[in-house]
């Protein structure tokens, strides 16, 4: 589903962002990307949704090779991804319902199917009753749920979450994390960048830790021998 | 398409002041072009009026038989440059002189012999009213044995030619400069809209909207602003025209406003500029994000 092969990425100022990063994420997996600020977590995610291209190496996502994507192929890749950010990135002048519908409208979904699909996904994230509310009328946790609903409305096989609980209190964090687990249980790959180590420890999902642009720990590799029967 | 129209309406509704300002900016920049255009077409009109007076006059030797003159007139009328030929007899010349030259009226009345020669007055077709063609026709006219002298007001026609050429060049340069300024203003106003909606554009891109789809509402908005700005500028031009005519232009007869076709062309130009400005602004933004 996702494969990084010897990926190098350099910032425009010449500083290295990623150094020889390789990993493989198969279908259905939940993966934490951890590390301090500037370790390269967001760069990994931005390579996954083709906001940046690798300087060296290959990034494969859902059958697309990110380094070789033409401008026309970028939207096609992104329609196969759901993306969630720490700052929610909702449109303030649209209701929860309209924010979610927006993702369908701009991707040429059939108009008559949009209201049903929007309500279904808002129900799934537990916000059906808040459909007509504007973002300013919602709590942080609720806004993030709307963002997740928008990410899910196209039924993507992969969900990328960049610090989705970074702006939330403990209760909201638990709620959003629980929602991401349920989404993963439905078969969607979830790649979540976080530095909430308590959450990582509790969940026992695969963890890839980055430091200075390199992978310093990957539970799938480093713990594999001891995990084997 | 329905979504694109809805997005444009939403944008107008959400930022009415910015929309009104950008329409006004487009309107005023088109207004400068419009005013210049009005001056240009009226100047052109005045020049055309002057050019109509360009004529070649051949003075006929006294005693030339009328048949020769009639035959020659037919020949001359067949010249490609010639619009029409008018034969003025000696008597007609005298009558005209008595009528038009009031100060000599007495002198002409006491004459025993008419001193004025008969003449062939030749008017040229619109495209041939310049020195070169007037000279060609004059040369050919001199070839007729009964033509004593030929006049076409060489200095005057040369001056008219120079004025026309200068007006053309100055008009082109100033018109082009105004158009560039208008395009820049429109580009900047659309760019402000684009920047204001940068977040929306980034979200569109994240959820997989194509660049073509993202451009759509902006192009439509640019075209709408272009046409509204165009209408606004036409209204301003009309008001200026009426004011000028009523206050200052009383002495200037024959002032003209744009024809319907010119108004349509002007609006079309507004739409083109709106589209061009949007295309450049959105294109640059999409390349940079």
């Amino acid at each position: 589903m996702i494969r990084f092969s010897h990926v190098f990425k350099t910032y425009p100022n010449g500083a290295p962002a990623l150094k020889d990063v390789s990993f493989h994420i198969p279908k259905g997996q939940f993966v934490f990307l951890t590390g301090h600020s500037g370790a390269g977590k967001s760069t990994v995610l931005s390579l996954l949704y083709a906001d940046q291209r690798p300087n060296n190496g290959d990034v494969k996502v859902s059958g697309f090779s990110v380094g070789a994507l033409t401008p026309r192929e970028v939207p096609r890749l992104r329609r196969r991804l759901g993306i969630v950010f720490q700052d929610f990135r909702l449109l303030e002048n649209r209701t929860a319902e309209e924010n979610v519908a927006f993702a369908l409208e701009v991707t040429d979904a059939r108009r008559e199917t949009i209201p049903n699909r929007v309500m279904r996904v808002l129900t799934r994230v537990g916000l059906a009753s808040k459909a007509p509310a504007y973002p300013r009328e919602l709590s942080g946790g609720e806004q993030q749920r709307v963002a997740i609903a928008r990410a899910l409305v196209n039924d993507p096989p992969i969900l990328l979450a960049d610090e989705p609980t970074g702006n939330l209190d403990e209760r909201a964090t638990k709620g959003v994390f629980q929602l991401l687990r349920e989404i993963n249980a439905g078969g969607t790959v979830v790649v979540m960048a976080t530095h909430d180590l308590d959450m990582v420890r509790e969940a026992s999902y695969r963890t890839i830790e980055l430091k200075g642009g390199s992978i310093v720990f990957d539970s799938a590799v480093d713990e594999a021998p001891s995990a084997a029967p | 398409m329905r979504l694109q129209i809805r997005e444009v309406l939403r944008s107008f509704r959400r930022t009415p002041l910015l929309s009104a300002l950008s329409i006004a900016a487009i309107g005023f920049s088109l207004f400068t072009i419009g005013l210049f255009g009005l001056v240009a077409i009226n100047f052109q009109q005045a020049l055309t009026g002057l050019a109509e007076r360009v004529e070649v006059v051949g003075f006929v030797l006294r005693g030339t038989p009328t048949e020769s003159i009639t035959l020659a007139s037919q020949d001359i009328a067949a010249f490609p440059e010639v619009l029409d030929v008018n034969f003025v007899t000696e008597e007609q010349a005298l009558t005209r002189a008595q009528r038009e030259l009031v100060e000599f009226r007495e002198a002409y009345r006491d004459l025993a012999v008419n001193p004025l020669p008969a003449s062939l007055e030749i008017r040229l077709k619109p495209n041939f009213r310049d020195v070169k063609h007037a000279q060609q026709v004059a040369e050919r006219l001199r070839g007729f044995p009964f033509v004593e002298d030929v006049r076409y007001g060489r200095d005057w026609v040369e001056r008219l030619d120079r004025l026309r050429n200068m007006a053309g060049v100055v008009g082109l340069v100033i018109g082009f400069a105004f158009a560039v300024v208008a395009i820049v203003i429109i580009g900047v106003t659309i760019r402000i809209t684009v920047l204001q909606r940068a977040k929306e554009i980034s979200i569109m891109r994240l959820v997989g909207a194509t660049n073509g789809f993202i451009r759509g509402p902006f192009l439509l908005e640019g075209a709408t602003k272009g046409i509204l700005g165009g209408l606004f500028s036409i209204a301003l031009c009309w008001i200026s025209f009426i004011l000028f005519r009523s206050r200052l232009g009383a002495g200037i007869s024959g002032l003209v406003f744009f024809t319907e076709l010119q108004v349509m062309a002007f609006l079309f130009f507004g739409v083109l500029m709106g589209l061009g400005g949007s295309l450049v602004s959105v294109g640059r933004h999409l390349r940079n994000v």
Side-chain angles (χ1 to χ4, degrees):
Chain A
M1 193 97 286
I2 294 172
R3 185 181 292 278
F4 265 55
S5 308
H6 305 289
V7 173
F8 289 81
K9 178 69 194 169
T10 312
Y11 290 122
N13 65 7
L18 293 180
K19 291 180 281 190
D20 196 16
V21 171
S22 297
F23 61 83
H24 169 238
I25 300 174
K27 269 186 187 168
Q29 202 166 54
F30 192 121
V31 179
F32 284 120
L33 281 178
T34 65
H36 295 296
S37 295
K41 305 187 294 289
S42 294
T43 306
V44 167
L45 291 179
S46 68
L47 286 167
L48 286 174
Y49 62 85
D51 195 38
Q52 301 190 59
R53 309 292 176 102
N55 295 110
N56 251 313
D58 191 25
V59 176
K60 276 224 155 56
V61 188
S62 197
F64 292 91
S65 180
V66 171
L69 282 181
T70 64
R72 279 174 187 279
E73 286 171 328
V74 174
R76 282 174 49 208
L77 163 68
R78 289 184 182 163
R79 289 177 195 196
R80 297 185 56 76
L81 302 172
I83 313 170
V84 180
F85 294 93
Q86 181 175 358
D87 57 359
F88 322 133
R89 301 202 188 173
L90 298 175
L91 295 168
E92 298 301 322
N93 54 349
R94 292 172 202 246
T95 62
E97 193 177 6
E98 287 169 343
N99 265 286
V100 178
F102 188 64
L104 288 172
E105 286 166 348
V106 302
T107 49
D108 302 327
R110 279 173 48 214
R111 268 186 78 75
E112 60 274 19
T113 65
I114 292 177
N116 271 339
R117 290 173 69 179
V118 170
M119 279 321 287
R120 209 166 48 221
V121 76
L122 279 174
T123 308
R124 190 172 168 197
V125 301
L127 277 183
S129 61
K130 300 284 176 107
Y134 285 90
R136 62 179 176 276
E137 298 163 345
L138 300 172
S139 70
E142 287 170 334
Q143 288 187 54
Q144 193 59 290
R145 282 169 183 269
V146 176
I148 293 172
R150 183 182 63 197
L152 289 180
V153 74
N154 273 313
D155 298 318
I158 300 171
L159 181 72
L160 307 176
D162 194 356
E163 305 274 4
T165 58
N167 277 348
L168 305 181
D169 60 28
E170 201 183 329
R171 198 163 149 259
T173 296
K174 280 192 174 149
V176 165
F177 182 49
Q178 183 54 37
L179 180 58
L180 293 177
R181 295 176 84 150
E182 286 166 21
I183 291 161
N184 173 245
T188 306
V189 170
V190 177
V191 182
M192 175 174 167
T194 181
H195 44 249
D196 185 343
L197 293 179
D198 290 339
M199 185 196 292
V200 173
R201 271 192 289 271
E202 262 175 49
S204 71
Y205 285 131
R206 178 181 174 188
T207 305
I208 297 174
E209 187 183 344
L210 289 155
K211 191 174 181 184
S214 299
I215 294 181
V216 292
F217 174 76
D218 182 346
S219 59
V221 178
D222 301 324
E223 292 173 359
S226 60
Chain B
M1 194 62 189
R2 251 160 64 189
L3 174 74
Q4 317 263 22
I5 293 169
R6 216 174 59 214
E7 286 300 312
V8 173
L9 291 177
R10 189 192 281 267
S11 162
F12 278 113
R13 240 193 348 256
R14 211 170 55 205
T15 52
L17 190 67
L18 183 67
S19 300
L21 276 178
S22 48
I23 290 169
I26 293 170
F28 278 114
S29 55
L30 286 175
F31 173 52
T32 56
I33 298 181
L35 270 191
F36 174 72
L38 269 183
V39 172
I41 60 167
N42 277 288
F43 190 63
Q44 203 61 45
Q45 180 87 355
L47 281 182
T48 311
L50 279 178
E52 270 169 22
R53 297 193 204 165
V54 173
E55 67 177 12
V56 181
V57 181
F59 295 102
V60 177
L61 273 175
R62 211 169 279 274
T64 308
T66 317
E67 300 79 52
S68 309
I69 296 170
T70 312
L71 277 174
S73 294
Q74 285 167 0
D75 277 358
I76 295 163
F79 290 177
E81 301 93 341
V82 171
L83 181 69
D84 56 27
V85 181
N86 182 29
F87 176 55
V88 182
T89 62
E90 294 157 10
E91 292 73 31
Q92 285 167 339
L94 183 64
T95 315
R96 193 196 280 172
Q98 282 171 338
R99 192 177 62 236
E100 290 176 4
L101 304 171
V102 185
E103 50 279 52
F104 297 111
R105 192 172 286 167
E106 295 297 316
Y108 281 129
R109 196 168 33 215
D110 298 337
L111 287 171
V113 181
N114 180 0
L116 299 176
S119 60
L120 285 168
E121 292 177 352
I122 297 155
R123 288 199 303 159
L124 302 179
K125 288 179 185 162
N127 289 341
F128 297 101
R129 290 168 186 163
D130 53 37
V131 170
K132 189 179 140 210
H133 292 101
Q135 204 166 14
Q136 280 172 2
V137 172
E139 285 306 318
R140 260 177 270 156
L141 211 57
R142 282 197 185 97
F144 288 96
F146 59 82
V147 172
E148 194 177 23
D149 191 12
V150 180
R151 300 266 169 90
Y152 64 89
R154 188 192 173 105
D155 284 354
W156 182 79
V157 180
E158 271 177 356
R159 225 170 286 152
L160 184 65
D161 263 10
R162 271 203 301 274
L163 199 61
R164 254 195 307 224
N165 289 341
M166 213 163 67
V169 172
V170 170
L172 216 64
V173 170
I174 298 181
F176 181 72
F178 278 159
V180 168
V181 170
I183 288 173
V184 169
I185 290 176
I186 291 170
V188 167
T189 59
I190 301 276
R191 182 114 183 96
I192 293 170
T193 321
V194 171
L195 289 177
Q196 193 219 6
R197 288 170 63 187
K199 187 177 177 187
E200 204 167 316
I201 293 176
S202 78
I203 293 171
M204 280 174 147
R205 288 166 70 90
L206 278 180
V207 298
T210 59
N211 283 348
F213 184 92
I214 295 170
R215 261 186 226 115
F218 286 103
L219 293 187
L220 202 58
E221 191 173 329
T224 311
K225 283 179 177 171
I227 204 162
L228 290 176
L231 285 171
F232 180 52
S233 67
I234 291 283
L236 287 177
C237 282
W238 175 246
I239 292 168
S240 310
F241 178 73
I242 295 291
L243 283 177
F244 181 80
R245 203 172 51 181
S246 65
R247 300 262 170 94
L248 306 160
I252 310 170
S253 62
L255 283 178
V256 289
F257 193 68
F258 297 122
T259 60
E260 275 174 29
L261 197 71
Q262 283 166 333
V263 168
M264 298 294 275
F266 202 68
L267 292 180
F268 182 68
F269 183 58
V271 170
L272 273 190
M273 288 210 300
L275 278 177
S278 308
L279 207 61
V280 172
S281 302
V282 183
R284 253 175 49 186
H285 184 80
L286 289 177
R287 267 199 308 278
N288 292 341
V289 290

